[in-house]
Amino acid sequence: MPLQQPTKELLRFLQKNPHIRARIAAPANGTLLYAGSFFKPTGGAKTHFS
């Protein structure tokens, strides 16, 4: 399944702006970006989405 256009644009932006990318960090065993059909943590680190 190909990435949606907004996801591609975000990844390009982060690639071009390493100073911003460096400020983003996921917790151990965590994920910041999920490009699937749902957005709900399935275990691991607790987030404010849980």
Side-chain angles (χ1 to χ4, degrees):
M1 177 177 184
L3 294 175
Q4 293 184 2
Q5 190 60 35
T7 304
K8 289 180 183 179
E9 291 171 11
L10 172 64
L11 294 175
R12 282 189 198 115
F13 173 81
L14 292 174
Q15 185 177 32
K16 293 176 182 178
N17 295 280
H19 61 284
I20 294 174
R21 189 175 65 234
R23 297 181 65 188
I24 301 171
N29 299 316
T31 301
L32 291 177
L33 176 67
Y34 178 81
S37 61
F38 67 92
F39 190 78
K40 179 180 176 191
T42 58
K46 295 289 182 185
T47 68
H48 65 278
F49 297 111
S50 305

